[in-house]
Amino acid sequence: MRERIKQLKDIAEKFKPENLASIEDFRISFLGKKGHIAALFSDFKSVPPDQKKSIGLEINELKNYVADKINSLKDTFSQSKTSEFIPDLTVPGKSFVAGSRHPISIVRNQIIDIFSRIGYNISTGPEIEDDWHVFSALNFPPEHPARDMQDTFFIERDPDVLLRTHTSSVQVRVMTNNEPPIRTISPGRVFRNEAISARAHCIFHQIEGLYINTDVSFADLKQNLMYFAKEMFGSETRIRLRPSFFPFTEPSAEMDISCKICGGKGCNVCKYTGWLEILGCGMVDPNVLSYSGISPEKYTGFAFGMGIERIAMLKYQVKDLRLYFENDVRFLEQFSAAF
Ligand code: DAH
């Protein structure tokens, strides 16, 4: 018995593992149910009583030796495994490229924010529209050129289904579904049958504004637009309103802001006029109110509409419209500092 214990101790001492699996095999061969230690304990019954104490001690010593050896082998093995994967903490970190909002979204959000602060809510409408909401209810005469295939994308004719050419169509929907007072802005995509160039695109974005209440005057319109211009382009910005024509407003005007670049002195951005055109506006035509079920006797209102690309071009001095649609990351990543 003593001899076997000695042999086994010898084997245990010489054991050199190749991997974690061989340590497990070693453990099973010694400490498993049918292992050497179990076999020694079962033979222990036949050991003469006077030797039981010392042989029992030796078996226990062997058992403890093997258990300790297994534990320390496992430790060194698993440590050396993970140490291969401990990164070098002095290596400079990988930098993550932060995404950025599209400049059109940035400008749209800014315009929405400016008008929300004076009580405008947001409304939207469908991009695929009918003749009523895009033209007829906005007082376009039947022979108006915008109703022509050359300017408008038609999906079906008679009855007409078309892509809206302006967000003024949302005015009609809001007025039809709500009682005044109405104070809303309607951002969205619009479509026109134009050849694509640096200055024109077949898809672009507009924001429409509408205020309907009792006693709304042209002075209110001017005040709202002046507030917008100063918030958007800086407090030193001046505005001017030039008479214009739109079928859905009477009187109508176009608004210019003093050129941001030269401060009104004249430069190539403002074509030496000192002024930049940014939107169309006017008092809502009484016909338009009554087409949408609002009494022109009781209510008056104003409306305005602007192109978001136009505002973005002035803000960022990017004069080729196509850049806003190509999604070239080299262009887009330049806006990552904006909100
Ligand atoms: N809908 C016009 C356009 O697309 C812009 C516009 C002008 C909207 C005057 C208005 C307005 O609400 O009053 O060119």
Side-chain angles (χ1 to χ4, degrees):
M1 185 101 187
R2 282 226 153 78
E3 197 49 34
R4 264 195 63 210
I5 295 173
K6 234 183 126 226
Q7 278 171 5
L8 286 171
K9 176 103 196 255
D10 209 40
I11 293 172
E13 277 173 354
K14 286 188 180 140
F15 171 68
K16 285 218 170 63
E18 281 158 21
N19 47 36
L20 276 171
S22 64
I23 299 175
E24 182 60 8
D25 290 344
F26 174 72
R27 188 191 67 80
I28 292 167
S29 72
F30 273 82
L31 304 178
K33 263 195 192 147
K34 292 178 184 156
H36 302 306
I37 304 289
L40 287 173
F41 275 124
S42 100
D43 291 353
F44 184 67
K45 291 178 207 119
S46 50
V47 170
D50 60 330
Q51 292 177 29
K52 266 199 158 71
K53 195 175 172 193
S54 63
I55 290 195
L57 216 70
E58 282 182 44
I59 299 176
N60 271 322
E61 264 174 25
L62 176 65
K63 185 182 159 193
N64 291 339
Y65 172 79
V66 171
D68 286 350
K69 176 155 180 162
I70 287 168
N71 281 340
S72 71
L73 284 176
K74 271 190 181 163
D75 276 358
T76 42
F77 252 83
S78 49
Q79 260 172 30
S80 66
K81 269 274 174 284
T82 48
S83 69
E84 285 169 29
F85 294 101
I86 288 176
D88 178 354
L89 298 177
T90 64
V91 171
K94 280 187 191 151
S95 64
F96 292 92
V97 181
S100 56
R101 280 195 201 284
H102 192 281
I104 297 300
S105 302
I106 295 170
V107 171
R108 182 200 54 203
N109 291 348
Q110 212 173 351
I111 299 170
I112 288 173
D113 185 52
I114 291 170
F115 282 106
S116 310
R117 294 207 291 271
I118 53 169
Y120 284 77
N121 65 16
I122 298 172
S123 49
T124 53
E127 292 177 353
I128 298 174
E129 269 289 11
D130 52 24
D131 174 274
W132 174 254
H133 292 91
V134 177
F135 300 126
S136 298
L138 289 165
N139 210 29
F140 278 78
E143 70 285 0
H144 194 282
R147 292 169 176 260
D148 196 49
M149 298 279 283
Q150 302 224 309
D151 296 291
T152 303
F153 289 114
F154 286 90
I155 295 169
E156 271 168 36
R157 300 222 76 160
D158 271 346
D160 289 344
V161 179
L162 48 98
L163 297 180
R164 67 181 177 192
T165 55
H166 54 181
T167 45
S168 303
S169 55
V170 187
Q171 276 190 27
V172 179
R173 292 186 176 272
V174 174
M175 286 193 287
T176 309
N177 298 324
N178 296 278
E179 291 289 318
I182 293 167
R183 195 190 275 118
T184 190
I185 49 168
S186 324
R189 263 197 305 195
V190 299
F191 308 84
R192 286 187 199 173
N193 196 353
E194 305 245 18
I196 296 169
S197 71
R199 315 187 87 237
H201 209 287
C202 57
I203 304 175
F204 55 101
H205 300 79
Q206 287 188 332
I207 291 196
E208 187 77 14
L210 179 71
Y211 177 42
I212 313 277
N213 207 343
T214 50
D215 304 317
V216 179
S217 72
F218 201 91
D220 297 322
L221 169 62
K222 195 173 168 186
Q223 192 60 46
N224 275 236
L225 293 180
M226 191 153 78
Y227 156 78
F228 165 70
K230 287 179 184 292
E231 290 293 310
M232 190 76 208
F233 297 103
S235 55
E236 68 295 343
T237 309
R238 287 166 292 124
I239 63 166
R240 87 175 173 185
L241 291 161
R242 282 179 289 104
S244 184
F245 175 80
F246 300 101
F248 35 91
T249 44
E250 183 59 36
S252 304
E254 275 167 313
M255 185 176 93
D256 299 340
I257 54 164
S258 52
C259 180
K260 241 180 89 116
I261 307 300
C262 61
K265 287 191 202 74
C267 65
N268 67 346
V269 172
C270 60
K271 302 205 186 73
Y272 300 96
T273 62
W275 296 97
L276 298 161
E277 184 193 320
I278 63 160
L279 55 79
C281 60
M283 301 306 291
V284 179
D285 192 292
N287 283 346
V288 173
L289 292 175
S290 50
Y291 288 148
S292 293
I294 289 176
S295 163
E297 272 80 45
K298 196 167 167 201
Y299 295 107
T300 50
F302 63 69
F304 54 87
M306 66 186 101
I308 301 180
E309 280 79 1
R310 170 94 186 134
I311 308 281
M313 280 168 130
L314 295 175
K315 198 174 149 95
Y316 297 120
Q317 292 298 303
V318 173
K319 294 200 201 86
D320 191 330
L321 259 183
R322 291 168 293 197
L323 285 163
Y324 292 109
F325 296 91
E326 283 165 358
N327 284 334
D328 185 330
V329 276
R330 291 167 301 176
F331 174 67
L332 296 178
E333 68 193 5
Q334 295 177 59
F335 299 91
S336 54
F339 65 93

